[in-house]
Amino acid sequence: MMPASPLDSALYRGLLGDDDTARLFTDSAEIRAMLLVEGALARVQGALGLIPEPSAAFLHRACHEVQIDPAALTERIAQDAVPVPALVDATRKALEAPAHAQYLHWGATSQDIAETGLVLRLRQTLAIQQARLVALIKALGVLAKTHAETPMAARTYGQAATPTSFGALVASWGAPLLRHLQRLEELRPRLLVVSLSGAAGTLGAMGPEGPMVRAELARALGLSDPGASWHSQRDRIAELAGWMTGLTTSLGKMGEDLMLLAQSGIEEVALGQGGGSSTMPQKQNPVAPSVLVALARQAAALNAALQGASVHALQRDAAAWITEWMALPQLAIGTGAALARAASLAGTLGPDAAKMRAALDGGLGLIHAEALSFALARRMPRPEAQAAVKARAKEARETHTPLPVIAARDWPDTDWAALLSAESQMGTAPAEARAFAAEAEALRTGAPQG
């Protein structure tokens, strides 16, 4: 029986999980983040005179030092449906200083503490993902540049279409990643904001100082001040979910292509890594590409849940909020795992130029049909040219005579060997590969901002 979440399973987390991201979504990480917020809130309120300064200093220090057992909160959380009331009570008890502890969580509500703590953890999550994304893009850039003019068959509907280059295919994996990187920079300031709005989003318990407390709390935590409550405005979380899903599905496309190119009978790309079979010793299964596709499909499902949870009723909606708790950690961990897998793959891929050339030269040269039709269209109306090539393609299949040979027989005044070559038909493919490689090479590798 598989565990409920294979992402953090002892059996499956090496296959599907990401320890670096998962540690940010543990019970202890969540408690630590919420206590960090509570301590910062107390310090800010003390500085502004909302609570006694000695109590504020005590609470700020204590929230960094106190240890709370997550298991001790289970029963209370099951009753309250939010973790903060149980955490606040347990912290007050552990502090053994009721005169100071009474000011803990002053004027805030559970959602303020939980969501600001989540944002702190998401900031670290995005830093991990950005660093991996940049490294992956750079690795793909090297591959695209190296193979900008390595010809291969482009395939549409699974059939050979026209020549392209392997570098251009790699660029088609990498170009969306550049856009995802740009989207991350755009969404980061919208996401990384403090939540401090009080019971119903009005900051009523803090009086006229409320907006100043929110601004100072944001500054203390290195976040931005949203200027208003966002308790029931879930566009930030929905945007993040959409970004992670788009990124993961782009990596899934890379995985899908690699599974096809590595399959028996094609073998145009060697993965450099593979999995074994329990009974077939010859197998080198495309495990990493398969995982990329599986994670992409799961991301799409989780994203559907998160987009649906964006509909929050009135000022707070427990059902929608809890749905986010169940889906967002899995999506974040899965995205991290997909990036790690893709980066590992990019460093080990080995395109087989000879196999790619064989696929181009095989198939009776029918991959050159489009080029032949456009060449003939210079000497006859295009409909006639297309009809002529269609008839000769049929002849090629029936007689097993290569199409270029038939073309040379019927129109001997043209050097069809040169015209019907992969190198002459790649069009913009080499340039697109080099353009992506240049963008990838220009990326900064410094620490993510924000």
Side-chain angles (χ1 to χ4, degrees):
M1 184 70 178
M2 182 175 286
S5 176
L7 299 185
D8 58 8
S9 157
L11 289 175
Y12 299 103
R13 72 184 185 196
L15 175 68
L16 299 168
D18 172 27
D19 288 346
D20 290 339
T21 304
R23 67 180 176 80
L24 298 171
F25 293 93
T26 62
D27 294 334
S28 59
E30 182 170 4
I31 287 175
R32 181 53 50 201
M34 290 190 291
L35 286 172
L36 180 64
V37 177
E38 293 281 17
L41 176 62
R43 185 178 67 174
V44 166
Q45 290 175 326
L48 294 175
L50 268 72
I51 65 175
E53 200 282 330
S55 295
F58 174 84
L59 291 172
H60 180 253
R61 181 178 65 255
C63 284
H64 283 77
E65 298 173 352
V66 68
Q67 299 294 320
I68 303 297
D69 179 9
L73 309 182
T74 302
E75 186 175 344
R76 177 73 183 278
I77 293 173
Q79 174 184 324
D80 296 334
V82 288
V84 179
L87 176 61
V88 169
D89 287 351
T91 303
R92 285 174 176 157
K93 182 178 179 181
L95 297 183
E96 297 181 340
H100 295 316
Q102 65 175 316
Y103 295 107
L104 182 69
H105 194 66
W106 190 265
T109 194
S110 295
Q111 191 168 357
D112 291 330
I113 305 304
E115 297 220 299
T116 302
L118 172 63
V119 169
L120 293 176
R121 291 182 289 136
L122 289 175
R123 179 169 61 188
Q124 293 176 268
T125 299
L126 293 182
I128 292 170
Q129 293 178 354
Q130 178 169 333
R132 291 180 182 177
L133 180 54
V134 169
L136 170 58
I137 292 171
K138 284 187 167 293
L140 291 176
V142 172
L143 202 58
K145 183 177 181 179
T146 303
H147 295 283
E149 297 197 42
T150 301
M152 69 178 297
R155 295 173 172 90
T156 60
Y157 285 78
Q159 305 295 305
T162 62
T164 185
S165 76
F166 181 67
L169 177 62
V170 174
S172 78
W173 302 334
L177 303 185
L178 287 168
R179 295 191 290 273
H180 290 310
L181 187 61
Q182 180 180 355
R183 292 183 186 105
L184 175 58
E185 293 298 335
E186 294 166 352
L187 75 84
R188 192 192 302 273
R190 290 190 288 270
L191 176 70
L192 300 183
V193 297
V194 74
S195 176
L196 186 66
S197 307
T202 64
L203 277 174
M206 295 188 201
E209 293 86 356
M212 187 178 296
V213 174
R214 183 178 59 223
E216 289 301 314
L217 178 62
R219 185 174 294 109
L221 295 173
L223 301 174
S224 297
D225 178 6
S229 171
W230 57 279
H231 284 171
S232 59
Q233 301 169 15
R234 311 315 293 174
D235 56 292
R236 291 178 171 88
I237 300 300
E239 183 180 18
L240 173 65
W243 179 79
M244 288 183 176
T245 302
L247 172 58
T248 306
T249 52
S250 291
L251 299 178
K253 188 268 191 289
M254 173 180 166
E256 189 79 64
D257 287 352
L258 287 171
M259 281 199 294
L260 293 171
L261 292 173
Q263 69 180 334
S264 299
I266 295 182
E267 301 166 307
E268 293 182 11
V269 176
L271 301 180
Q273 51 184 268
S277 164
S278 65
T279 185
M280 295 173 283
Q282 84 281 7
K283 295 292 289 296
Q284 286 289 310
N285 293 325
V287 172
S290 300
V291 169
L292 290 181
V293 175
L295 289 171
R297 290 171 178 166
Q298 190 207 32
L302 293 169
N303 185 51
L306 286 161
Q307 301 303 328
S310 296
V311 182
H312 272 232
L314 300 176
Q315 280 67 50
R316 186 173 296 115
D317 187 329
W321 198 25
I322 291 170
T323 300
E324 291 181 6
W325 304 350
M326 293 189 288
L328 186 58
Q330 293 186 69
L331 181 56
I333 295 169
T335 302
L339 281 165
R341 282 281 186 176
S344 177
L345 262 178
T348 61
L349 290 181
D352 189 327
K355 288 283 182 65
M356 292 177 178
R357 174 67 68 178
L360 286 165
D361 294 339
L364 300 173
L366 294 176
I367 197 169
H368 303 301
E370 183 192 51
L372 176 58
S373 70
F374 275 98
L376 293 178
R378 296 188 181 94
R379 65 178 74 188
M380 66 181 73
R382 189 177 175 213
E384 292 181 19
Q386 288 181 310
V389 174
K390 188 173 183 178
R392 284 156 180 83
K394 180 180 179 181
E395 179 187 349
R397 293 189 187 96
E398 291 175 348
T399 65
H400 301 286
T401 304
L403 183 62
V405 172
I406 295 175
R409 179 199 68 194
D410 294 342
W411 298 283
D413 57 337
T414 300
D415 184 2
W416 294 112
L419 192 62
L420 302 184
S421 67
E423 287 76 8
S424 67
Q425 295 174 49
M426 287 193 289
T428 62
E432 289 177 6
R434 292 193 182 94
F436 164 69
E439 287 191 72
E441 189 175 2
L443 286 180
R444 294 172 56 189
T445 57
Q449 300 299 307

